[in-house]
Amino acid sequence: MSSFKEIATKDSCFRAGSTLCPGCMESVAFQNIGRVTDNGVKTIFTIGTSCAEVSTLAFPNVVAWGRGDESSDDFGKSFSILHNVFESAPTLAEATRDVADALTDCGALDRPVQIISTGGDGGAFAIGLRTLLHTIHRRARVTIVILVNEIFANTGFQYSPATMPYADTSTTPAEGAPGNMNPPLDYIHLAIAAGAGMVAQLSPAHGKMFVKAVERSLEVEGTAVIFVPAPCISGWKFEDGQTVELALLGARSGVFPAFMWERGKGGSVKDCSLEASERPDVVDFLAMQRRFAHLVQRDKVTGEVKPKPGREQDIENLKGWVQSNVERMYSLANLK
Amino acid sequence: MSTIGIEHGPTTHVATPGGERYDILKLERVKQAHIPFYPEQEGVTADGNTAAAIATLQMWRALIYPGFPITPSTKWIETVAAKVGAQKGTKKRVKLLEAEHAVADYMVGAGAACRDLIFSTATSSVGLDHMTETTRSLGASGLGNVMIINVYRATANFPLCIEGDPSDAMAHRDDGFIQICARGKQQIYDTVLQAPCLGMHPEIMTPTMPGYYGIKDSHRNARFIVEADTAVHEFQDRWLQPCHLPGTINGDTAMGNCVTSRHFQGFKINQKRRIERVLDILPQIGADFEKTFGRPGLRFFDETAWPEAGPVDIAVVGMGPDYGTFESVREAWAKKNDVSVSGLALRLLNPFPRDAYREKLQRAKVVLVVNQAHHSGRGHLTLDVADALAGIEPQPRIVSAFAGMGGADVSEATWEAMLDEAKDALTTAPRQPYMVFHEGARL
Ligand SMILES: Cc1ncc(C[n+]2csc(CCOP(=O)(O)OP(=O)(O)O)c2C)c(N)n1
Ligand code: SF4
Ligand SMILES: [Mg+2]
């Protein structure tokens, strides 16, 4: 394992020039993953249709990928990226792994490759649940990174199966209606049940843990899955400069607790107490985002956050969901 | 043409229009790892699916066989699995995916990972439909090393029937694949062997879809020659050189990007140009095949009873094994009716070789076109033939027939009924823009 400092000095395969919104967590995640993969091993990314793709892989405008200003003579620094249809990134990654393994098996390739599939929560949990679970189920030796911003951001902030309760999305509007009423899919449990070798829920807001998890994902047996909670400045509607703060608050308050799990070893919830009283109040998390403006309001004088009149019960319901979410994560950590 | 053979020194990379390409793959090791399935030429009795499976197994560049069952239409994946499983020490692998869509996606990933390996699968009907989102991407991808063997079967599942009419192949004509129709086991075997040479040609780089009729050809046995694996390799190696563009493994490259409109427009024009090159290169591959193995190679169509020169009264255009029934009734019917009858059995479905048809069919007074797939208008083939004949004076009359729909056998009586209509058209205009024939009668 490299030290956090050491990784910070590496050459990321995610480069300047993307058109991701300033403050998008996806670019922070790519920066970090890009650095971790600068380890002397050839890197191949596959990517699903999403903000992450259309904003980074634009040709002949900027392709914000590649290691170094020019291709290196060192094959171990070389980098490739492949996009096909919306949900196909895990299958593309699995195919790439199989071809590399088959070539190695014949003696035709004597250098290792590391393969990372990436895409959004819509691609993974809605249209692509089949491909996600089956690639995991076949124990493909790839890392699957899913950027969970709880919406279809690229197409205009629609509901996704990861949308949290009460969120205002363009297809679960909160005007005159409660927002999303469907609890999110238990995707962490699904990944474990499908046979993943490693499952994490971590964002770069937990910097050291995040890069360690990415590093570990490249070593474990079978498929490693990293769900990256990814605050979306445009869809969640928060202020500039709050991305990391929001990601930390979301994790600590129990909306998407930091979690690391390995098959055979079990796992743990990090930085998020099982006791509600020991966690930051989820209401503070809600108050930072206008997607919950129908639920809470901040007193302009005292700065205190309160439920909007008539929304008290909804806030209680939401807190109940958060507590059950944290309990769920603790019980998943006990699985071996 | 050259054989493969790459010198291996330290890894070097060269810039190509698709990114940097590293000399990292020792392809000759893949070839050395191939264990022959047929050390010698052999006569084999088997069905069409087995013929296709044998051809794909014999290719040294085929290391991984992705698939999803669509039995009974094709037992290709079962056959491949059995033969790979029975071969001790083989490096070949069978890859079972969870759906046809995943198979097609897998072939994108695999074909892009190494552009020098061949990735084939087989499917049919709803299986091909299920792949559609990605077959249309594949068609544009430049991944000529991908081959989907299509066992023709009706696409409609409402009501469900497994009969082999070619409506699936027709519905997928605009996916962008090179589609070649084979009839008979020998032609199936030979076509599958030649298809990658066409698709992977550096001027074409377009995936291929060899196909044959379900049930009629996929399930009926016949005897055919299987060439020795070494002979297959020699032939393919003459046509297949290491791809000049990088794959994701041996490259520093981005593929499947999100592109600006202008670039996309240029890309689409290039895609069209590449598939048009099939019209020049297919006959060359076919001729080389014929010279090598002594059997007809790829052609635009098979010809029946065309005189050296001069006019013919009726020219028939059809496809698939039912065309054989026409061949068997042709002579007697022509004699009885005192007219000359020739025929063309379609081989290259996409791109449609318009000029070659025009050259032949302009000699006919009447062209009888037999369509076997559902079409809302006059028939897919009819429209292609009409296009091929556009502007010719005097214009041969087109008799458009639908027969064998739903996989029905086109019986001798049905052929005779259609030929009777064509004969009438020698003197009067066809009764209707198209006519439907079934079990010996015009409906
Ligand atoms: C088959 C198909 N249906 C719909 C779309 C339109 N589409 C493109 S990206 C996208 C949403 C992506 O959402 P997600 O995977 O969560 O990624 P995000 O943009 O949120 O990062 C949709 C619906 C598509 N590309 N393909
Ligand atoms: S819309 Fe959201 S996910 Fe998309 S680039 Fe902007 S911040 Fe990132
Ligand atoms: Mg999303």
Side-chain angles (χ1 to χ4, degrees):
Chain A
M1 290 263 166
S2 320
S3 73
F4 191 45
K5 255 193 189 161
E6 216 179 300
I7 284 172
T9 62
K10 299 274 185 174
D11 195 359
S12 181
C13 61
F14 185 65
R15 300 173 57 74
S18 88
T19 52
L20 290 163
C21 302
C24 176
M25 184 57 104
E26 301 193 352
S27 56
V28 189
F30 288 156
Q31 265 304 340
N32 282 275
I33 299 167
R35 288 206 171 95
V36 175
T37 54
D38 182 21
N39 54 5
V41 178
K42 199 251 158 68
T43 306
I44 301 173
F45 268 58
T46 64
I47 189 163
T49 317
S50 56
C51 273
E53 190 262 332
V54 303
S55 310
T56 68
L57 209 55
F59 186 84
N61 298 335
V62 176
V63 173
W65 296 96
R67 214 179 301 279
D69 290 336
E70 289 186 359
S71 297
S72 169
D73 276 337
D74 176 1
F75 176 71
K77 279 227 171 221
S78 71
F79 174 88
S80 291
I81 184 162
L82 175 67
H83 165 256
N84 180 38
V85 297
F86 191 3
E87 75 276 31
S88 63
T91 317
L92 301 180
E94 181 177 359
T96 312
R97 164 58 64 208
D98 287 351
V99 174
D101 287 354
L103 287 166
T104 305
D105 196 25
C106 295
L109 177 67
D110 53 16
R111 301 284 296 271
V113 292
Q114 54 195 2
I115 299 158
I116 296 187
S117 156
T118 183
D121 51 316
F125 309 145
I127 197 166
L129 192 61
R130 165 183 62 70
T131 164
L132 172 72
L133 293 184
H134 283 280
T135 291
I136 297 172
H137 178 58
R138 289 186 292 262
R139 310 324 193 239
R141 211 157 40 83
V142 299
T143 294
I144 300 179
V145 175
I146 295 158
L147 301 152
V148 186
N149 55 16
E150 304 186 10
I151 34 174
F152 293 176
N154 183 47
T155 40
F157 316 117
Q158 296 89 353
Y159 160 86
S160 101
T163 305
M164 68 178 277
Y166 291 99
D168 179 14
T169 76
S170 60
T171 49
T172 58
E175 209 160 303
N180 170 46
M181 292 312 287
N182 225 4
L185 195 69
D186 190 352
Y187 44 84
I188 294 180
H189 198 174
L190 282 174
I192 293 173
M198 180 196 125
V199 179
Q201 175 163 268
L202 278 166
S203 86
H206 283 95
K208 281 188 193 168
M209 268 197 271
F210 182 72
V211 296
K212 266 200 177 138
V214 176
E215 234 184 353
R216 182 73 191 131
S217 78
L218 302 171
E219 297 165 353
V220 293
E221 285 289 309
T223 313
V225 190
I226 305 176
F227 299 103
V228 182
C232 162
I233 190 163
S234 307
W236 294 15
K237 303 182 180 76
F238 53 87
E239 299 303 319
D240 277 355
Q242 292 184 336
T243 311
V244 170
E245 190 185 338
L246 197 56
L248 273 179
L249 196 51
R252 287 174 176 156
S253 65
V255 176
F256 36 77
F259 176 80
M260 179 71 193
W261 179 92
E262 268 189 53
R263 184 160 301 277
K265 294 185 183 166
S268 54
V269 175
K270 314 267 187 192
D271 199 18
C272 177
S273 171
L274 188 56
E275 295 301 320
S277 58
E278 292 169 15
R279 300 195 301 261
D281 192 341
V282 70
V283 162
D284 294 327
F285 172 76
L286 306 180
M288 290 172 74
Q289 310 162 63
R290 290 202 302 286
R291 66 175 172 149
F292 295 108
H294 56 296
L295 285 191
V296 291
Q297 62 191 4
R298 190 179 291 275
D299 189 301
K300 280 191 186 122
V301 183
T302 62
E304 200 188 344
V305 179
K306 283 194 180 146
K308 276 200 163 164
R311 291 299 201 167
E312 294 80 1
Q313 188 53 50
D314 291 332
I315 295 289
E316 283 313 305
N317 294 347
L318 207 151
K319 284 185 174 177
W321 172 76
V322 169
Q323 182 58 26
S324 66
N325 191 42
V326 176
E327 286 168 12
R328 175 182 67 93
M329 298 297 294
Y330 269 86
S331 66
L332 290 178
N334 290 329
L335 294 174
K336 286 266 164 90
Chain B
M1 284 189 268
S2 74
T3 53
I4 68 131
I6 312 162
E7 292 306 314
H8 287 284
T11 305
T12 55
H13 76 277
V14 286
T16 79
E20 312 282 321
R21 181 182 179 283
Y22 292 79
D23 183 12
I24 189 83
L25 300 178
K26 301 179 182 94
L27 288 178
E28 69 281 3
R29 297 273 171 88
V30 181
K31 188 172 178 180
Q32 284 155 11
H34 179 89
I35 303 170
F37 287 88
Y38 289 86
E40 306 286 341
Q41 191 195 64
E42 215 174 288
V44 169
T45 301
D47 63 16
N49 288 330
T50 309
I54 292 172
T56 51
L57 285 163
Q58 287 186 290
M59 302 175 193
W60 68 260
R61 288 176 181 78
L63 266 181
I64 305 177
Y65 298 85
F68 186 80
I70 184 148
T71 306
S73 299
T74 175
K75 284 199 167 219
W76 178 90
I77 189 70
E78 292 93 323
T79 307
V80 168
K83 290 198 185 283
V84 168
Q87 199 183 50
K88 279 214 174 77
T90 188
K91 301 292 182 195
K92 291 183 186 286
R93 302 154 180 226
V94 170
K95 182 76 185 185
L96 303 178
L97 288 128
E98 77 279 9
E100 286 92 348
H101 196 310
V103 173
D105 292 341
Y106 187 90
M107 295 208 292
V108 173
C114 181
R115 304 181 80 148
D116 300 309
L117 296 180
I118 297 168
F119 298 95
S120 54
T121 192
T123 191
S124 188
S125 180
V126 284
L128 185 58
D129 289 347
H130 192 57
M131 290 180 174
T132 305
E133 185 190 19
T134 288
T135 52
R136 296 184 72 95
S137 298
L138 265 168
S141 67
L143 297 172
N145 54 340
V146 167
M147 171 162 63
I148 298 177
I149 297 162
N150 173 204
V151 182
Y152 299 166
R153 185 186 124 184
T155 39
N157 248 9
F158 199 95
L160 177 132
C161 184
I162 54 150
E163 284 296 342
D165 83 23
S167 51
D168 52 359
M170 294 299 174
H172 287 267
R173 282 187 74 180
D174 296 322
D175 288 8
F177 278 57
I178 301 164
Q179 288 175 289
I180 310 164
C181 176
R183 58 191 182 109
K185 320 315 150 194
Q186 188 70 62
Q187 215 175 59
I188 292 170
Y189 171 80
D190 293 348
T191 301
V192 172
L193 286 186
Q194 292 168 86
C197 302
L198 192 60
M200 291 166 78
H201 191 283
E203 292 168 36
I204 297 176
M205 297 181 65
T206 300
T208 55
M209 195 183 286
Y212 46 90
Y213 277 59
I215 311 295
K216 290 172 183 170
D217 254 334
S218 62
H219 282 59
R220 293 185 186 151
N221 280 8
R223 197 155 177 80
F224 60 100
I225 302 285
V226 173
E227 300 297 340
D229 287 32
T230 46
V232 168
H233 299 171
E234 247 171 65
F235 173 76
Q236 290 196 331
D237 289 354
R238 273 207 297 282
W239 288 93
L240 300 176
Q241 304 151 32
C243 184
H244 60 290
L245 293 177
T248 55
I249 291 178
N250 71 342
D252 194 301
T253 186
M255 294 166 79
N257 301 56
C258 188
V259 297
T260 57
S261 317
R262 242 183 109 178
H263 186 76
F264 188 62
Q265 290 149 14
F267 189 86
K268 296 315 283 183
I269 291 166
N270 185 268
Q271 180 189 351
K272 189 145 180 59
R273 293 266 147 79
R274 282 187 282 115
I275 202 163
E276 277 166 4
R277 294 294 296 133
V278 169
L279 300 175
D280 283 330
I281 292 160
L282 177 141
Q284 296 172 33
I285 294 173
D288 186 42
F289 186 88
E290 183 154 2
K291 208 169 109 200
T292 307
F293 297 114
R295 297 187 297 277
L298 292 179
R299 293 172 175 174
F300 296 144
F301 36 64
D302 293 335
E303 299 180 23
T304 307
W306 284 84
E308 250 337 87
V312 296
D313 294 320
I314 298 170
V316 170
V317 177
M319 62 189 278
D322 292 300
Y323 183 87
T325 310
F326 156 69
E327 284 175 309
S328 70
V329 302
R330 185 198 65 82
E331 200 173 348
W333 186 91
K335 207 179 222 173
K336 189 169 130 206
N337 290 278
D338 196 23
V339 290
S340 59
V341 184
S342 309
L344 299 176
L346 175 145
R347 299 283 331 272
L348 180 62
L349 178 60
N350 199 41
F352 192 78
R354 206 160 36 99
D355 292 347
Y357 277 88
R358 182 184 179 88
E359 198 189 314
K360 276 279 176 224
L361 296 178
Q362 64 186 344
R363 291 163 59 190
K365 293 178 188 142
V366 167
V367 179
L368 168 65
V369 190
V370 181
N371 299 278
Q372 294 180 290
H374 171 80
H375 182 255
S376 306
R378 291 174 71 201
H380 301 89
L381 292 185
T382 300
L383 297 187
D384 281 319
V385 167
D387 182 38
L389 294 175
I392 289 178
E393 287 298 339
Q395 174 95 150
R397 279 193 177 132
I398 294 178
V399 174
S400 183
F402 283 88
M405 286 204 296
D409 280 336
V410 185
S411 64
E412 292 188 359
T414 302
W415 276 108
E416 284 163 0
M418 292 190 289
L419 287 165
D420 288 345
E421 284 295 331
K423 187 182 151 205
D424 289 351
L426 285 169
T427 48
T428 49
R431 246 174 264 267
Q432 292 158 9
Y434 63 85
M435 289 165 265
V436 180
F437 295 83
H438 194 57
E439 295 185 351
R442 179 169 58 78
L443 305 183

